Amino acid sequence: MQLFQRWTQMSLVLRILIGLVIGAVLGVVVPEWTGFSILGQIFVSALKAIAPVLVAVLVAASIAKAGGGLGPRFRVLIFCYILSTFIAALCAVVGSFLFPVTLQLNDMVEGNAPSALNDVFTNLLTNMVTNPLMSISSANYIGILFWAILVGIALKACASKQTIDVVSDFAKVISQIVKWVIQFAPLGIMGLVFSAVSEGGLNVFSTYGHLVLLLVGCMFANTLIFNPLISFFVTRKNPYPLLFMCLKESGFNAFFTRSSAANIPINMTLCKRLKLDEDFYSVSIPLGATINMDGAAVTITVMTLAVANTMGVEVSFMSALFLCIIATLGACGTSGVAGGSLLLVPMACLFLGIGNDVAMQAVAVGFIIGVIQDSMETAINSSGDVFFTATAEYYDRKKIGNKE
């Protein structure tokens, strides 16, 4: 018991690093011990299972309890989310022009890719009004947010204080369960790292190294340069201490879980540690998992321009700018499209006159490099949710302080 208490009192990040090292060593030394990978599967599944319930009850309780004054925060937040995603697409265009990539298009992949932006937003609107219980069971965060906000407004308008207190207490219960699940993160990360190392996922560098480096480079440029510039422009404060904390405690976990849904509880826990307003972050974090999609915008743009280079299609400045807009709008709708950002590549290719048969071959390449691409994309997207949530709240606090 004393050993267990010492372990739980240790920094969670340090415990995760220990799990990472053990998982990597076991993956190299005994890759045939595949049973270790079940630890990662259980951890991710537990987070995915509890996250929809957490979002539903927290959003409903927060809306029911919230007073006025959150509007300006959300305006700043949505501005940051959209601008960051657009700049990410622009980074991908510049990177692709400076370091052009071509692909070997041989394989096909099956999937129902949207043919135009209206298909993406039709999916989003359809998901919004899905049965609320089905939304929770299928982790449809568009539907969860929509119905939770309506329930919160209805509670605020009709329910007694005692009823609202019951909903708030239930939210606290779910939050406590999340804390217990997160305590198992070191074992989960150990299993996930073991699985990645033992399966030799990093071998993608030998075949698709140029493409992987371009994707990762564009994501890092946006995260380490342009996102801090946006935050500094809004808050006039040094953004890097906040950025590095978000990358360390949110992005690190998201990289290995490769699931924005699984990282929502971790992000909410980090927001609480940052002493942010729960009424705000309980909505802003799941909203960010829907529309803050820097990594997805980079993936869509880089893969589309790689197909264009392979096919000899010349892309003008205006076409590239339009592609950035398409990638931004498409990335914001990624969560409503089965298959995520990769299945939006054919839609973007269509605007450059490239047919679906060719574009779907690029999707197949995307699935091959997914062990790196998807991990980086999730880490960038998810850490950005906390980063811009904190940015928007710091801006609002500063504005209120200036008025006083």
Side-chain angles (χ1 to χ4, degrees), residues 260-287:
S260 295
N263 220 49
I264 286 176
I266 292 170
N267 280 351
M268 288 189 171
T269 302
L270 176 56
C271 287
K272 187 172 184 177
R273 285 184 52 208
L274 291 170
K275 295 181 170 55
L276 303 182
D277 184 353
E278 185 176 353
D279 292 342
F280 180 51
Y281 72 70
S282 63
V283 179
S284 69
I285 293 300
L287 180 66

Side-chain angles (χ1 to χ4, degrees), residues 177-385:
I177 294 173
V178 168
K179 291 178 183 177
W180 291 339
V181 172
I182 290 175
Q183 289 301 315
F184 289 93
L187 291 175
I189 296 298
M190 183 182 76
L192 291 168
V193 172
F194 171 85
S195 179
V197 173
S198 63
E199 292 173 8
L202 295 181
N203 287 338
V204 297
F205 277 108
S206 62
T207 307
Y208 300 103
H210 192 177
L211 176 61
V212 170
L213 289 175
L214 178 59
L215 284 165
V216 172
C218 291
M219 291 181 191
F220 269 131
N222 185 68
T223 301
L224 298 177
I225 299 173
F226 296 105
N227 283 358
L229 283 176
I230 294 172
S231 180
F232 177 76
F233 174 78
V234 171
T235 64
R236 304 297 178 181
K237 291 174 58 178
N238 178 7
Y240 283 100
L242 173 63
L243 175 67
F244 292 140
M245 176 178 286
C246 293
L247 288 173
K248 181 179 74 172
E249 302 200 18
S250 172
F252 186 78
N253 286 283
F255 181 88
F256 291 105
T257 62
R258 294 172 61 185
S259 170
S260 295
N263 220 49
I264 286 176
I266 292 170
N267 280 351
M268 288 189 171
T269 302
L270 176 56
C271 287
K272 187 172 184 177
R273 285 184 52 208
L274 291 170
K275 295 181 170 55
L276 303 182
D277 184 353
E278 185 176 353
D279 292 342
F280 180 51
Y281 72 70
S282 63
V283 179
S284 69
I285 293 300
L287 180 66
T290 303
I291 66 171
N292 183 38
M293 292 288 170
D294 297 3
V298 169
T299 298
I300 294 168
T301 306
V302 167
M303 297 299 292
T304 300
L305 291 177
V307 174
N309 291 334
T310 303
M311 301 302 294
V313 176
E314 295 211 5
V315 181
S316 65
F317 172 78
M318 288 306 297
S319 296
L321 187 61
F322 187 66
L323 177 61
C324 290
I325 297 172
I326 295 298
T328 301
L329 296 176
C332 290
T334 295
S335 64
V337 179
S341 58
L342 287 174
L343 282 182
L344 292 179
V345 172
M347 179 200 71
C349 285
L350 188 64
F351 287 95
L352 298 180
I354 299 170
N356 187 68
D357 289 346
V358 173
M360 288 302 287
Q361 294 181 54
V363 176
V365 173
F367 283 130
I368 294 171
I369 64 172
V371 67
I372 301 298
Q373 171 266 326
D374 192 36
S375 296
M376 281 299 305
E377 185 177 308
T378 307
I380 296 306
N381 292 344
S382 197
S383 61
D385 297 345

